[in-house]
Amino acid sequence: MDFTALFQFLQDLQNNNHKEWMDDNRKRYQNIRNSFIHWLDELDGRFAAIDPTYCSTSGKKGINRINNNLLFHPNKPVYKDHFAAGLDQLTKQGDFYIQIGINECELAGGYWKPDNKTLNSIREAIDYNGEELVKILNKHSFKATFGGMIPDKNMLKTAPKGYSSDHKHIDLLKHRTFAVIHSLTKEDILSNNFTDKIIEVYKEMLPFRRYLNKAVTV
């Protein structure tokens, strides 16, 4: 994958963020998109080789649309400033997310503002065995990689319905989002060991994601 060409395309797109430019550069876009899909397919194979519970997800299935949804966000640009995909799609939200863009590059996973049914399932798992999640979050290498779960601006101020305010895991139960992010630099992506770095982050995130996926699928 030629990430230098990918970054250059995204920069040109942001300087010309309209359909006419994209139509004129459609072949260039398709070439980069196809290369990105092929790279995702290679990652898919590597993940499957190290994780026996991995849910194979082709690059074509995992890749996100580059168009913004203007129906719900009419003030956004026509096109995004990044390529992104979700692999290991055992559940719709709990995938391993990869984003490579000119403003933000990251690896992420977990559940971002899940629906009430999913959120309740996660809380039930914490109520039943929150010690396991605490152990995952407190692991030194996990903290070094992610710094903990992302701050939840919508976190409840009081205990959720059905749980006591003095529950030993009340701080976790108040969360409405359960996700982690590892930020990447452009230098990371252009380095020769970028794919190996992704594998390392995937492995570190795996216990966290498996805990949540088990909670919502049991």
Side-chain angles (χ1 to χ4, degrees):
M1 176 72 216
D2 186 350
F3 287 107
T4 298
L6 181 148
F7 281 122
Q8 187 59 60
F9 171 81
L10 289 173
Q11 187 61 63
D12 292 344
L13 176 60
Q14 294 312 298
N15 293 338
N16 303 274
N17 203 313
H18 51 80
K19 186 177 183 299
E20 291 76 14
W21 186 88
M22 178 62 95
D23 287 343
D24 289 340
N25 291 268
R26 184 69 59 180
K27 184 176 181 180
R28 180 184 173 195
Y29 163 66
Q30 289 295 344
N31 286 338
I32 292 174
R33 183 179 184 274
N34 289 338
S35 294
F36 190 67
I37 288 173
H38 179 70
W39 177 73
L40 291 172
D41 286 336
E42 292 178 343
L43 269 182
D44 184 63
R46 291 196 61 176
F47 289 156
I50 63 172
D51 176 11
T53 65
Y54 180 77
C55 182
S56 183
T57 309
S58 68
K60 194 170 185 179
K61 177 182 177 181
I63 192 170
N64 293 354
R65 288 169 53 88
I66 199 169
N67 304 66
N68 276 312
N69 190 331
L70 300 182
L71 179 63
F72 295 102
H73 304 283
N75 295 324
K76 284 190 174 184
V78 178
Y79 301 105
K80 300 172 184 175
D81 63 357
H82 59 268
F83 281 86
L87 299 181
D88 194 19
Q89 291 187 16
L90 177 64
T91 61
K92 188 173 182 180
Q93 278 199 326
D95 56 11
F96 182 79
Y97 178 74
I98 303 167
Q99 177 174 310
I100 300 176
I102 55 177
N103 291 313
E104 288 185 345
C105 301
E106 63 188 28
L107 304 173
Y111 288 78
W112 177 266
K113 297 180 181 179
D115 58 53
N116 287 335
K117 181 180 179 182
T118 301
L119 180 57
N120 288 336
S121 294
I122 294 173
R123 285 176 174 158
E124 287 173 3
I126 293 171
D127 181 46
Y128 176 72
N129 186 17
E131 290 79 9
E132 182 180 348
L133 180 57
V134 170
K135 184 179 179 180
I136 292 169
L137 296 175
N138 286 339
K139 185 180 176 183
H140 177 74
S141 56
F142 186 91
K143 286 185 174 181
T145 304
F146 307 108
M149 288 197 298
I150 62 174
D152 189 349
K153 296 179 180 179
N154 296 312
M155 189 173 178
L156 295 177
K157 299 185 184 303
T158 59
K161 185 177 180 180
Y163 297 95
S164 170
S165 60
D166 61 355
H167 192 289
K168 60 182 176 180
H169 300 306
I170 190 60
D171 289 342
L172 288 173
L173 291 170
K174 288 181 179 178
H175 275 263
R176 287 177 170 170
T177 288
F178 295 83
V180 293
I181 292 177
H182 178 82
S183 296
L184 298 165
T185 65
K186 188 174 181 180
E187 289 70 28
D188 289 330
I189 294 164
L190 296 178
S191 67
N192 292 329
N193 65 342
F194 176 46
T195 301
D196 292 335
K197 180 177 179 62
I198 293 178
I199 298 298
E200 291 176 6
V201 174
Y202 179 88
K203 288 180 178 179
E204 192 63 53
M205 194 190 301
L206 191 56
F208 173 75
R209 293 181 53 245
R210 288 295 173 260
Y211 178 93
L212 297 175
N213 286 343
K214 181 179 179 181
V216 304
T217 54
V218 169

